[in-house]
Amino acid sequence: MVLCAGPTSARADDYRLKLGDTLTFSVPSLNIERKTTIGPDGKMAIPLMGSIDARNKTLEELQAIVKQTLPTKVYSQRLSDGREVGTVIAADEISLFVSEFRPVYASGDVLSPGERAFRPGMIVEQLLSMVGGLSLTQMRLENPYLGYADLRADYDAVWNDVVRLRARIDWLRRTLDLPVAAPDTTALKSPLPPALVKTIKDLQDSELNARAQRYAKERDDLERMITSSRNRITVVEKQREKEEEGARFDASEEQRINELVRQGAAAANRATEIRRLSLLSATRSLQVQVQAEAERKSYAEFIRQAGVLERDYRSALNTELQSVSTDYTKAQSRRESVWEKMLYTGATKLSLANGEAQQVKLVINRDTGSGWQPIDAEPSTELQPGDVVHVQIKLGQPYGSQ
């Protein structure tokens, strides 16, 4: 068996962080240790700093940003006796390292294709051993006609998954105002009829649009309550101004009548009546003030609820986008794997019987940040997180590859 590969190498120092990588941040002096994952927007949450863009940065670059920013701030730390003191974090106290990389994937002529956990320094040969090695003999010794029918059904099903997941990703990215994902660049032709593809996409859009409509209804209800509350505040404020003006006038009139009573120019019962009116005016003014304060609190609560609703909705969409993107990558890997098995299942047993030379081609599909790049590899080639290693065994002319 001959391995066909081109030389390539990748230094771990050159690895640039991507969606799905998990980092651990710690500051021992403040008893802080948190794990944080890079989200679909390329950002990650760092305690004491907030959200920062980690996409396509090396770990060293990210460490430099954190260690330059945190020591410039003073943080409040509560002691055991309840006192609070200001604390400045030294750069050498800060630890930031990758605790969990994105998985790597194997597809093609391997016994157990799929994802495997990545470990620094992993090479192609180690990944192949984890997936059970090459599987040409196993595929060729099966009945090619019976096996092809089963694989064709699997192939249709995985294409269904690819179309469905891609439709969800596109909808989620549009809703989150994110750039449209790169198109599926596979050379494989979909076996699904255009009408079925449209039905799959329409079903996804219908389901997701229904969720968006429920959110929009809740948001519109809150906006109506906010508008209504704002209008009530305006009315109550005008009423408060009038009541305060009336209360001031009645108080002034009470002073004037009392002065006339002392001078004997007005009857005492007139002063009593004015006093009663003045108290009523003051009471109404106080009641309106209380009502105005209650309306302002209601308004603030509606504003808070609207903010929470939008934040929770977008957070749920981001979480789903991350999960669906991972499933989409897996479905693409399964699609390639099933297709290769379909080709090789149709190969004749005569090729093995004649002992024809077998060539193994190893190709790494790597996300470079600007797109997926195929890289010819050899067993000793070092892998990077997220790599998809495709294994192809060439033996004679595959069935159906005219």
Side-chain angles (χ1 to χ4, degrees), residues 54-155:
R55 176 176 41 200
N56 292 328
K57 290 183 174 61
T58 65
L59 178 61
E60 184 177 5
E61 290 172 344
L62 194 61
Q63 288 173 335
I65 293 173
V66 174
K67 290 186 177 184
Q68 288 173 3
T69 303
L70 288 182
T72 63
K73 301 180 180 181
V74 178
Y75 304 95
S76 179
Q77 184 178 18
R78 185 177 295 276
L79 302 179
S80 57
D81 59 3
R83 292 183 297 113
E84 290 189 359
V85 296
T87 300
V88 176
I89 301 174
D92 57 4
E93 292 184 83
I94 301 169
S95 173
L96 183 65
F97 61 90
V98 180
S99 54
E100 184 177 342
F101 291 94
R102 293 176 296 149
V104 289
Y105 303 86
S107 67
D109 294 334
V110 293
L111 184 62
S112 180
E115 71 173 51
R116 295 296 184 273
F118 175 83
R119 294 293 180 268
M122 177 183 288
I123 61 175
V124 171
E125 186 174 11
Q126 291 172 329
L127 175 61
L128 293 180
S129 68
M130 294 170 68
V131 297
L134 307 180
S135 64
L136 175 64
T137 301
Q138 177 180 352
M139 288 189 293
R140 294 299 179 83
L141 293 180
E142 295 175 352
N143 185 310
Y145 299 101
L146 296 178
Y148 188 86
D150 293 337
L151 288 171
R152 183 54 190 261
D154 292 342
Y155 189 61

Side-chain angles (χ1 to χ4, degrees), residues 239-240 242-251 254 271-289:
Q239 183 180 356
R240 181 184 60 78
K242 291 180 181 180
E243 293 295 345
E244 288 180 351
E245 182 181 353
R248 287 193 297 271
F249 175 79
D250 288 343
E254 180 183 3
T272 302
E273 179 64 20
I274 289 297
R275 174 61 177 166
R276 186 181 66 81
L277 292 176
S278 178
L279 289 173
L280 286 175
S281 295
T283 300
R284 286 197 302 270
S285 177
L286 181 60
Q287 290 173 340
V288 172
Q289 289 179 15

